[in-house]
Amino acid sequence: PDGYLRDCPMEHMIMLRILVVLTSVALLIPTAGAEPSSAVAFDVATVKMLKSADPVRGEALAKEGKCARCHGDAGISDDPEDVNIAGMSASYIYKQLKDYKDQNRDDRDMYKTTRDLDEQQLADLAAWFASQEPAQPAADRNMAPAVLRLVFHGDPERMIKACASCHGQDGRGGQFDHPALAGQYPEYLVYTLTEFKEEDRSNDIYSRMRSVAQALTEEEIEGLAAYYGAAVPE
């Protein structure tokens, strides 16, 4: 109020002005973790591009880029520490490829593979791998009650969403940027969840996976990996 300001001692006025300046400066400083974690927006143009993507062109690009060295001829890797991308949604694969290209997801080999590709080529690659037959979960899945609770109910006390709420009741993935978990190797799932937990991977929108992974114990991560995991091809 004007009356307070007129009657306010000089030292209080000085402190008040300093506080206003500091508050203004603070508003200009980005909050930790507030930076965009991905430049991908599934707007109308992006969805149209993905729908019109050509898997035949994508197959040719996959051969040119020697994708088979890590992901197998049709998107199923022989290395249990690599992701199986066969049958994942084209939107999820496209997002990861774009994040590698933009260096929002850190991997030198993947950056070299994607840096010279345009967005349509990334979409074509995604369409090719999405059209392939996915890997199947192992027969001897971990059906422990504690694991099933996390899969289908989560843990509200720790603010952990049910895995199925984003990744589907069957683990085959959800819309846009929710990948399939079923059919991934346990070793890969442990590796990537640990990456999120330790914030070595940070291209998840709104830190969703980092928040979940940081709340999970190592035993829970291993249990979930065993539940969703596939057997390694012989």
Side-chain angles (χ1 to χ4, degrees), residues 31-227:
T31 311
E35 297 85 357
S37 55
S38 176
V40 177
F42 291 105
D43 52 18
V44 173
T46 302
V47 171
K48 282 184 176 178
M49 179 181 66
L50 288 168
K51 285 183 177 179
S52 64
D54 186 346
V56 175
R57 290 198 303 261
E59 181 181 12
L61 287 167
K63 290 178 180 176
E64 288 174 21
K66 298 184 171 74
C67 300
R69 287 182 301 183
C70 294
H71 300 293
D73 291 333
I76 298 178
S77 175
D78 292 329
D79 186 340
E81 292 189 354
D82 279 328
V83 60
N84 290 328
I85 53 179
M88 279 197 176
S89 68
S91 56
Y92 176 76
I93 299 171
Y94 169 78
K95 179 193 181 302
Q96 300 310 307
L97 292 172
K98 184 76 165 61
D99 285 350
Y100 283 127
K101 177 182 171 70
D102 295 341
Q103 296 185 293
N104 285 320
R105 184 171 177 185
D106 185 30
D107 186 289
R108 185 168 58 182
D109 291 335
M110 285 302 302
Y111 172 66
K112 288 180 180 178
T113 300
T114 57
R115 65 186 174 186
D116 295 327
L117 300 178
D118 60 31
E119 294 194 5
Q120 185 62 62
Q121 289 173 314
L122 297 180
D124 292 342
L125 259 177
W128 157 248
F129 284 111
S131 70
Q132 302 307 296
E133 189 68 25
Q136 299 300 314
D140 55 340
R141 302 171 74 186
N142 181 355
M143 305 295 280
V147 172
L148 293 177
R149 276 196 299 273
L150 287 172
V151 170
F152 295 108
H153 302 288
D155 186 342
E157 290 186 7
R158 290 184 288 166
M159 299 184 70
I160 298 175
K161 287 182 66 176
C163 304
S165 65
C166 291
H167 299 283
Q169 294 292 313
D170 58 0
R172 290 298 180 189
Q175 289 187 319
F176 300 120
D177 62 335
H178 297 143
L181 301 181
Q184 298 302 331
Y185 299 128
E187 291 88 344
Y188 171 75
L189 289 172
V190 169
Y191 171 75
T192 198
L193 282 169
T194 302
E195 272 196 312
F196 281 126
K197 186 179 181 72
E198 297 177 354
E199 299 202 67
D200 291 329
R201 178 177 170 184
S202 57
N203 73 319
D204 53 325
I205 304 297
Y206 306 126
S207 300
R208 290 175 302 195
M209 278 309 304
R210 280 172 283 175
S211 298
V212 169
Q214 286 164 9
L216 294 171
T217 66
E218 291 183 10
E219 291 76 14
E220 287 171 331
I221 287 175
E222 290 175 359
L224 288 169
Y227 174 79

